[in-house]
Structures are given as structure tokens and as C-alpha cells.
Amino acid sequence: MEKDVGRTGIAVIGAGALGGAVARGLARAGCRVTASCPHPDRRPEVAQDGVRLIADNAEAARGAEVVMFALKPHLTLGAVRELCGALKGKLCVSLAAAVSLPMLEEAAPEARWARVMTNVCAAMNAAFSGVVASEGCAPEDVEWLRAAFSLLGDAEFTEEGKLDALTALIGSGPAFFLELLEGAALGGIQAGLPKALAYRGAAAAALGAARLVTNSGRAPSDLRDAVCTPGGMTIEGVAEIERRGVRGVMMDAVTSTAQKGSVLTHSVAESLR
């Protein structure tokens, strides 16, 4: 396979929230992307980033060298089987939770399969992606996957058994942090800030904190302690967060989501029997 991601024709089957974000991020990075959606006119924001948006899954798959599936788990295998003929000899990537590599390989055995867990931040090229390549992938496929998903942010290869946990943390994670961001902004409004300023300030604080962790390589707790002056304002807020058990709530959110992923995987497997 051509290693130059920008010269590779990419099809994204399903231009919903995740598929649209991946398509947009790749297009913004200079890739040639076609995305299929039953009602293209309803997703104008996807086309605005340079994605060719069409209604026909088969047309998208036939014209691509790499085909990505961004459909709900219960729809993924049906779409793969339907497009099986157009996938022969191609690198195919499933972005769906709960659909394992053996299931995908059974549905389209002449394709080379990988699974990737990413998130909607791909639209802004700020995602984290966990990548799993099947044994049928060639070394060139692995390098292509690394290069392509690095265009969307950070990418790391992992084992398929870790994907449920990764889906809970990085796939669902933005929703969890948006909940916290919303709460912080509302607190700012309650304290007297104008609404627009509160939301901008909360978003900037969250983004800056994330960059501190990413760029420094230090534990969040170390960075937090550096901000807390004894008897000061920040430690007062941190104490309230601890009293309310916010960290425990976030831990439970991730672990319960990961458990749901295991249930969905079992459900998809049972539906094939």
C-alpha cells in the first residue's frame, strides 16, 4: 500500500458524529476523503472541510483504497457483508465498539482488517486513537495506520482486549469532560461571570490543564499540588471536589462504560449464532 496518506483514497462509511469527525480531520490534514451518509444534505459541516459527501456506500467503497466503517455496532457487520465484494484486497478499518476482528474477518475475509478507537475530537485533529492491526495486515498497512491516525492527534497501537477500556476512556471520555466543563462554567456564572466569558474561561482552563499533562509527562496530582497554595483559594475548591467524590464518580463512569462495552460485544457475538 502507498505509504503517503495524502495520496490514498479513503472512504468513511457513515458520516455521523464519529465518522464525520474522522472524515473532517483527515480532510483538514490534506487527505482525499469520501464519506457516505444516507442524507448528505443534513451534514453540511462535513463537506465544508473538504470531504466529498455522497449517499451511496458502495460507490464510496469502490472508489477507495482504504475503507473505514463508522457505524453503530449492530449495523457494522451487515454493512461489511453488503460491501464485501468492494473490499477485496483493501485495508479496512472498523471504528465501532463491540465488533471484534474475528467477526470482521468472517464478514469480509479477503480484506485486511484493523480496529481503531478514537473520538469526535478528530474533527479538530486533537483526538487520541488506539489502533489494533490484525495479523493479516502487512507492515506497510501498519505504517499507514500509524501515519493516518497521527494526523488526527495522538495514536498508539495496542491489543484488542484493551479496546473496551480505551473506548470508555477516549471514545466516551470527551462527553465526561464536557459534563465537568459545563459544571465549571455554571459555577463561574453563579459567581457573577457573564455566560460567554464563563464558558470560554472554563474551556481554556480544561485545555490548558490537558496540555500541561501531555507536555510535561507529570501526574495530574503533581501539577495540581503546584497550583494549590496552603490556605489559598484553589485548595478550597479542591477540598470541595474531594468532599463530593468527583474523582470516584469519574472512575465509576469509565469502568461502568467499559463494562457496557463488554456486554455489547457479547450481544453482537450472540446475534451471530
Side-chain angles (χ1 to χ4, degrees), residues 85-138:
L87 306 180
K88 183 177 179 179
K90 295 181 180 181
L91 175 61
C92 295
V93 181
S94 172
L95 305 178
V99 183
S100 68
L101 285 173
M103 294 177 193
L104 294 163
E105 290 169 334
E106 182 178 355
E110 295 184 282
R112 305 186 306 281
W113 282 100
R115 289 184 65 194
V116 176
M117 292 296 107
T118 188
N119 60 42
V120 295
C121 301
M124 299 291 105
N125 305 89
F128 185 97
S129 302
V131 184
V132 178
S134 72
E135 293 182 0
C137 285

Side-chain angles (χ1 to χ4, degrees), residues 191 227-240 243:
V227 181
C228 293
T229 302
M233 293 172 63
T234 305
I235 191 61
E236 184 68 26
V238 169
E240 184 64 19
R243 282 193 290 269

Side-chain angles (χ1 to χ4, degrees), residues 211-237:
R211 285 180 173 170
L212 279 174
V213 172
T214 302
N215 294 342
S216 71
R218 296 169 63 187
S221 57
D222 291 341
L223 296 166
R224 176 206 61 205
D225 290 348
V227 181
C228 293
T229 302
M233 293 172 63
T234 305
I235 191 61
E236 184 68 26

Side-chain angles (χ1 to χ4, degrees), residues 137-234:
C137 285
E140 310 91 82
D141 296 327
V142 172
E143 289 309 308
W144 190 93
L145 290 164
R146 188 188 310 278
F149 285 93
S150 292
L151 293 176
L152 300 180
D154 196 5
E156 184 167 330
F157 280 79
T158 186
E159 303 164 5
E160 188 170 24
K162 295 180 179 177
L163 287 187
D164 284 343
L166 270 176
T167 301
L169 182 61
I170 64 177
S172 304
F176 305 155
F177 286 104
L178 287 169
E179 282 284 300
L180 295 179
L181 195 155
E182 176 81 8
L186 290 174
I189 293 168
Q190 187 176 26
L193 293 178
K195 184 176 181 179
L197 178 58
Y199 277 99
R200 286 182 60 199
L207 180 61
R211 285 180 173 170
L212 279 174
V213 172
T214 302
N215 294 342
S216 71
R218 296 169 63 187
S221 57
D222 291 341
L223 296 166
R224 176 206 61 205
D225 290 348
V227 181
C228 293
T229 302
M233 293 172 63
T234 305

Side-chain angles (χ1 to χ4, degrees), residues 44-57:
E45 73 282 1
V46 177
Q48 286 172 2
D49 280 311
V51 178
R52 178 178 173 242
L53 198 57
I54 63 175
D56 191 334
N57 289 347

